Amino acid sequence: MVESWVGSMSRLLPRAIREGGHEFTFLTRDLHHYLRAAPEGTAHPLLGARHVLTAETNETDALTDFAARAHETLRFTGVITSCDYYLPAAARIAARLGLPGPSAEAVENACRKDATRRILAEAGLPGPEFAVCEEWAETAAAAREIGYPLVLKPVDLCAGMYVRRVDDEAALAVAYHALAGFPVNARGRRRAPVVLLEELLDGPEVSVETVSFGGTAHIVGVTDKSVGAAPAFVETGHMFPAALTPADGAAARDTALYALKALGLDNVVAHTEIKLTSRGPRVVEINPRPAGNRITELVRHVTGIDLAAAAVEVALGRAPDLRPRSTGLRSAAIGFLLPDTEGELESIDGADALRTEPGLLEVQLADPGRVVKAADSNNDYLGHLMAGDPDGPGARDRVAALLSGLRPRVATR
């Protein structure tokens, strides 16, 4: 395992490895990055690794050489990561060691939003009008040509960081210079010094969860998404399966399959985000790894399919078990609690009453004393809750009703 997110997948992936009867070696440049994320008094699940090796994971060529030398002794059987920033490195290591895995080129193109746009356009898949720019003058000129409103994105960040809706040149300048002031990501990797401008797409957004193996992409299902905190695009909730018309569901699934084929992605669990616009489906982005934000758990609660376990099996070159099983739930949803002000969290009113509600699948809320700011990415949540519906697509409404009873109390600093 080459690095990891510190969120839910840092727990789900080690669990899937262990439950599959396997062990793993963990490669990281900074173990303390994970130790700081462990709840007080508990060991981080990544410390369940058989070996923990320190290497400069931000230098792919050197890392690949290091992994090859370690392979001579430890004899790895697969290479995996949950962190977007290291997906290309994991694919290159697998190729170097002769182990199963997706095409490194395909993964690199999927992890670069500008490359994805170019390849999908060349394949004839309809998408938003877009431009890739570096200097401010070039960016402003491209924005005028595309027309406002539009979306400014970094090409190589995650969790919605610095993705902004801009309605005029003044807003574009603010977004452009804010992104320029973040030249190195949270893992110490230098960002590509370009921005992606895209036509603003209308309509609801969904994601298609797939597992590709041996040349065939299997659709596990479609998840819906709600977004808030404008002009940022912060995910505020999800439901699986999405409550779609048969036509919209088919359009989303077909578009995802076409996009995966165009990129050449195989032997990978993928999470493809799609807007169902008034002009038809449009790909937002393709993530060559299991979905984040606990979507994999929504899928598991409804279908019994464990996408973390599927990722492990695919990394080992094995066909995963994707047979749905009865779980007693027809839908499952998650909602996130977002701060809207800056300060120190004193309490979350309504939390005690919430924990006594029947049928909740998960409740996780931030502890008092946490320093917060108004949410502008998926990294800023104050917690989440998850619930299911055994009778139909009512899970989202139940979660929304329960979330409405929570009131973060923040002391301004």
Side-chain angles (χ1 to χ4, degrees), residues 29 58 85 157 161-162 179-192:
R29 68 191 298 266
N58 286 349
Y85 301 137
L157 289 178
M161 293 182 67
Y162 293 94
L179 179 57
F182 190 73
V184 178
N185 69 26
R187 298 305 183 93
R189 298 175 70 101
R190 184 160 291 278
R191 290 195 311 101

Side-chain angles (χ1 to χ4, degrees), residues 206-210 217-223 241-242 244-260 272 274 276 281:
V206 299
S207 61
V208 182
E209 323 307 336
T210 56
H218 303 269
I219 295 175
V220 175
V222 183
T223 311
L244 299 175
T245 65
D248 280 345
R253 292 189 292 269
D254 290 347
T255 299
L257 293 178
Y258 194 106
L260 293 173
T272 302
I274 294 171
L276 299 172

Side-chain angles (χ1 to χ4, degrees), residues 287-327:
N287 301 281
R289 41 81 177 159
N293 264 357
R294 307 293 287 175
I295 290 174
T296 58
E297 291 302 276
L298 300 181
V299 172
R300 186 176 63 84
H301 281 301
V302 175
T303 69
I305 297 171
D306 187 340
L307 288 173
V312 171
E313 292 302 293
V314 167
L316 292 168
R318 301 174 180 176
D321 183 2
L322 301 177
R323 293 171 297 176
R325 293 176 286 282
S326 176
T327 65

Side-chain angles (χ1 to χ4, degrees), residues 68-317:
R69 292 193 299 273
H71 182 55
E72 294 175 1
T73 301
L74 299 178
R75 307 310 303 170
F76 303 124
T77 51
V79 186
I80 201 166
T81 183
S82 67
C83 182
D84 297 49
Y85 301 137
Y86 300 98
L87 290 165
R92 292 211 170 272
I93 292 170
R96 171 76 175 272
L97 304 186
L99 297 175
S103 155
E105 181 181 7
V107 171
E108 288 164 358
N109 286 332
C111 290
R112 282 283 302 242
K113 296 178 178 64
D114 51 342
T116 299
R117 278 278 168 255
R118 174 180 52 79
I119 290 169
L120 296 186
E122 290 173 353
L125 192 65
E129 188 175 352
F130 71 96
V132 182
C133 310
E134 183 169 353
E135 300 300 330
W136 163 248
E138 177 191 12
T139 303
R144 288 191 292 270
E145 184 173 344
I146 295 173
Y148 295 98
L150 49 77
V151 180
L152 178 144
K153 298 179 178 180
V155 300
D156 53 2
L157 289 178
C158 310
M161 293 182 67
Y162 293 94
V163 179
R164 297 291 183 270
R165 170 179 171 144
V166 292
D167 292 308
D168 52 38
E169 191 162 304
L172 178 66
V174 171
Y176 174 90
H177 291 297
L179 179 57
F182 190 73
V184 178
N185 69 26
R187 298 305 183 93
R189 298 175 70 101
R190 184 160 291 278
R191 290 195 311 101
V194 296
V195 299
L196 177 62
L197 298 181
E198 293 181 355
E199 166 194 4
L200 181 68
L201 298 172
D202 63 359
E205 186 170 332
V206 299
S207 61
V208 182
E209 323 307 336
T210 56
V211 180
S212 300
F213 182 77
T216 301
H218 303 269
I219 295 175
V220 175
V222 183
T223 311
D224 77 7
K225 176 189 296 189
S226 57
V227 177
F233 293 83
V234 180
E235 296 175 359
T236 59
H238 304 276
M239 184 173 75
F240 182 90
L244 299 175
T245 65
D248 280 345
R253 292 189 292 269
D254 290 347
T255 299
L257 293 178
Y258 194 106
L260 293 173
K261 183 177 181 180
L263 278 174
L265 279 171
D266 191 19
N267 300 317
V268 70
V269 178
H271 168 74
T272 302
E273 298 175 348
I274 294 171
K275 276 271 196 178
L276 299 172
T277 80
S278 56
R279 293 178 294 162
R282 300 291 187 266
V283 172
V284 175
E285 62 183 44
I286 302 171
N287 301 281
R289 41 81 177 159
N293 264 357
R294 307 293 287 175
I295 290 174
T296 58
E297 291 302 276
L298 300 181
V299 172
R300 186 176 63 84
H301 281 301
V302 175
T303 69
I305 297 171
D306 187 340
L307 288 173
V312 171
E313 292 302 293
V314 167
L316 292 168

